[in-house]
Amino acid sequence: MNIRISLRAALALASLLSSTITPCRADAADAGQSQYFELRIYTTRSAAQQRRINDYWQSAAVPACNRLGVQPIGIFTDLEDSETNRIYVLLPYDSAEAFASIPGKLAADAAYQGAAAGFLNAPKSDPAYERFETFLLVAFDGMRRMALPPPDKRPNVFELRTYLSPSENKSLNKKQMFESGEITVMKEVGLAPIFYGRTLAGPQMPCLVYMTCGENLAEHKKHWQAFSAAPVWKKLQADPRFKDNMSGSIKLLLKRTSASQI
């Protein structure tokens, strides 16, 4: 895994960014200080490992993190089942300091340590997972906080997208493009974005990561078609200011697990 900056440097930068942010909209998802997101991705080699990861989060990690004010937590897996499905964990933090403090607090939480013992102490001969990697993200100014799907439209499909850029300035330019109208159009056409984040530390940098959702796959595709046809998107796409700000993308269709709070 190629991490372009150290976690310590990322936290220092994140702390500086959080101290200079001011609200730009009245909407709850856009107001206040930007959240930070940890996106943890576990790789597995069996359905048994997938169950162990989900059970760990459901019975130990989610309750413990909730006690520390980290909620709601999203737990997802690939839409199509396989022996090598990954598990995706999305955790929201109100500050970079909150993110940094969690490992120490979990180490001192006796209830968590008891509930998680089998997972945390899994032997080499029977590991609970293969590896995991973590993104540390800071929310966009255009949507500063996680937004939950409407309660009357519980989604069954979640799409996680990573947008890769050829340089850090181009990645910031793509972020500006989102905040110049893309986010608004996504909301208007029903893509129901859950978060947008700029990667401070993690693989594939420089990159942006975001998640949208839909009631089912067919409806989700219709919402993307409406986005593609939207005049605002077409205008942004043709704007020379935003030319060549992406070098690739990773698009993943996911579903929630029984441990998920989203």
Side-chain angles (χ1 to χ4, degrees), residues 78-192:
D78 299 290
L79 192 60
E80 300 296 329
D81 294 332
S82 81
E83 293 293 300
T84 57
N85 267 25
R86 290 158 294 188
I87 304 294
Y88 302 80
V89 183
L90 177 64
L91 301 108
Y93 301 97
D94 286 333
S95 68
E97 292 77 15
F99 163 76
S101 72
I102 292 297
K105 291 179 178 179
L106 290 179
D109 185 329
Y112 164 76
Q113 289 294 322
F119 184 87
L120 297 177
N121 299 316
K124 179 181 178 180
S125 59
D126 185 25
Y129 52 86
E130 294 304 288
R131 308 299 301 169
F132 72 80
E133 60 187 19
T134 291
F135 289 80
L136 174 61
L137 312 164
V138 60
F140 286 10
D141 293 346
M143 188 167 143
R144 297 175 185 269
R145 306 190 69 79
M146 180 185 290
L148 294 181
D152 59 330
K153 294 184 178 180
R154 184 171 172 82
N156 293 301
V157 173
F158 298 81
E159 185 169 7
L160 184 69
R161 292 196 173 193
T162 302
Y163 283 177
L164 312 173
S165 294
S167 71
E168 291 173 273
N169 281 349
K170 287 293 187 180
S171 186
L172 290 172
N173 180 265
K174 180 58 185 174
K175 174 178 176 288
Q176 182 185 2
M177 188 176 178
F178 269 106
E179 295 173 339
S180 297
E182 279 192 71
I183 293 174
T184 299
V185 175
M186 286 184 181
K187 291 179 179 179
E188 290 175 349
V189 301
L191 280 168

Side-chain angles (χ1 to χ4, degrees), residues 212-223:
T212 58
C213 60
E215 296 173 66
N216 54 60
L217 190 55
E219 290 299 313
H220 187 62
K221 288 180 178 178
K222 288 179 183 178
H223 295 153

